[in-house]
Amino acid sequence: MNALLEVRSLRAGYGAVQVLHGFDMRVNEGEVAVILGANGAGKTTTMRAISGMIQRKGSIVFDGEPITRTPPHEIVRMGIAQVPQGRGTFTDLSVADNLRAGAYVHKGIHIESDMREWYDVFPRLSERREQKAGSLSGGEQQMLAIARALMSKPRLLLCDEPSLGLAPIITQELFAILQRLNTENGLTILVVEQNANLAVKIAHSVFVLETGSIVASGTADEIANDDAVRKAYLGY
Amino acid sequence: MPTAIKESSPPHWLARILAVAVLAALALYIASSAKPSTLGNITEACTLAVAAVALNLLLGFNGQISIGHSTFAGLAAFTAGYSVNFWRWNPYVSLAVGLVLCFVLGLALGLPALRLKGPYLALVTLAVAFVWPTIAAKFLDKKVKASTLKGTKLQPPTWTGLTNSRPDRAVFLYWLAVVILVLAYVIVRNLRKSRIGRALVAVRDNETAAAVMGVNLKFTKTVTFGISAAIAGASGWLTAARLDRLDENSFTILNSIKYLLALFLGGAATLAGPIVGAFVYYFVDDYLKTHAPTWHWLPGPISKGPVASFLLGTIVIIFVFIAPFGLVGFIKDQVRRVFVVTPRPLKQAVASPELIEHTSDATAAESSAQD
Ligand SMILES: Nc1ncnc2c1ncn2[C@@H]1O[C@H](COP(=O)(O)OP(=O)(O)O)[C@@H](O)[C@H]1O
Ligand SMILES: [Mg+2]
């Protein structure tokens, strides 16, 4: 299978503090990959390393191109979009302007028709399109954050704990949408999660991250059958 | 229930056109009928408004604080005064050069702003505002002090039909100020409504999210600082055009604080806020200065000294409690009870299977073209 993202001995951190201690990871084109990890394991740091927000060492190759030294604003143009932890919607902008802002890297004319496409996927955003994003519920804001990321027309979508702070039923809806984006739009998705049942259900491959190292990886089935992992992350 | 008006429908356009027409008529009426001293006051209020508009771009929309904007106004004012008086430059050339200098200094100040936030950035810009008068004093000591654009240095062009008499000159300066204010407003408005403007607000609301959307944080923040500084420079140039004399105390930190007060009084991050705020601030201040000193009926020690600044401070504090989003935010809230503007309906995408297939082909072609 064709690797869209290939990470080799990735090391990254903040200043003198190293958080990621050199691991390998591979996300195939057209797949959903999930990184499981407890609080503080380094999941967000991994996302930030891939999207270029922090200094990193080792090698990150996206679609055959090394991006280890590429600044974030160019990585977006290459086709990686990140939904940051805590959603990061622009609360003072309207829903529509959030989406337009998501298309920042495309100066072109397709923006309004792209917006309509995502309004079809997220009808509740369409109803609220002129409201300030700050007035949306948590679930709606997460949908908005995803739709906004999609506006940059990514080939790889990074989702940092999308279920954080959401009611279970909303989380279900969210993962159903992510799965649809994968199967219907062929989008490659990398999700990080703490509570992982739903995430593993839509995943093709799973990585388990503990204190900055990957301690287990495999297909979703393999991981679900691994007793230690199941106890620690799936809770049964 | 408020009445709903559709965005960009005829009534909405009518309301917009009416607003512009009323403002234009008002500007013309004032020019033709006001006394020179009143025109001078309005010119001064416009000058303050230009600086507040500049600060709004930086602080209101981009979230970067500056207490150093008086420095940019001072730089452009002294550039104009000096170059016109000692190098015989055309005053409009001196304006252009002043704006460029301010832009460059703004970029330079934007660099520490990349690493510093909130109170730390405030401190750096505050330091600049503090240092400026000393530098200005050194600069001015060398030559004559009265280096402004007064008298014959900046005259009404002949096509205006105005002479250089005191009343005509007041009209001329008034129009200069109005035109510069309108330009500053239009620049900030167009920026705000554009792709760049959304990026500015995005950076203010969430830097990480803005960066992963492809916004170049360094570039956006420093260039915003530069543009805001240049607009503040235009305000300084107007001051040089209006005053007979500039000295080291013409652009102190107090000016910067006035810009901030005007901005918050009117409403930061709204387009009209800084202008409304500047006019209200200026005229309330002016009124209090002439009327309040005689208010001996005020209680206790308050009535002894000059009470104008005390009262103005009190008014601003009370006001911030009543209307935290400024006058414009307050008025908008009131208007919303009567009228709401509803968004244009979405054009329905035609969902024929052929079309869908076609679009997905197009996206596939596009993505392979990117490879
Ligand atoms: N900005 C930062 N500066 C310094 N240390 C940080 C920063 N962000 C996170 N860390 C540290 O890095 C480690 C991993 O954090 P993070 O990647 O956010 O974990 P996760 O997303 O898995 O909860 C934690 O020990 C955390 O304290
Ligand atoms: Mg995290």
Side-chain angles (χ1 to χ4, degrees), chain A residues 14 19 38-46 85 160-161:
Chain A
Y14 305 91
V19 174
N39 208 358
K43 302 183 298 296
T44 298
T45 308
T46 305
Q85 184 172 334
D160 195 344
E161 294 205 45

Side-chain angles (χ1 to χ4, degrees), chain A residues 53-71:
Chain A
M53 291 295 292
I54 52 172
Q55 291 282 331
R56 61 266 194 226
K57 293 203 186 91
S59 139
I60 307 173
V61 176
F62 174 67
D63 195 27
E65 299 256 358
I67 56 167
T68 326
R69 289 175 197 286
T70 313

Side-chain angles (χ1 to χ4, degrees), chain B residues 159-209:
Chain B
W159 59 262
T160 56
L162 297 168
T163 65
N164 208 23
S165 66
R166 189 174 115 82
D168 275 10
R169 198 176 160 74
V171 172
F172 173 59
L173 289 180
Y174 161 83
W175 278 121
L176 263 183
V178 168
V179 167
I180 288 182
L181 177 57
V182 169
L183 282 178
Y185 173 83
V186 169
I187 288 170
V188 171
R189 179 187 179 279
N190 288 354
L191 252 179
R192 169 63 190 84
K193 308 241 162 182
S194 72
R195 167 172 166 271
I196 307 291
R198 286 190 293 270
L200 292 190
V201 179
V203 168
R204 179 197 70 190
D205 280 358
N206 192 319
E207 276 192 16
T208 306

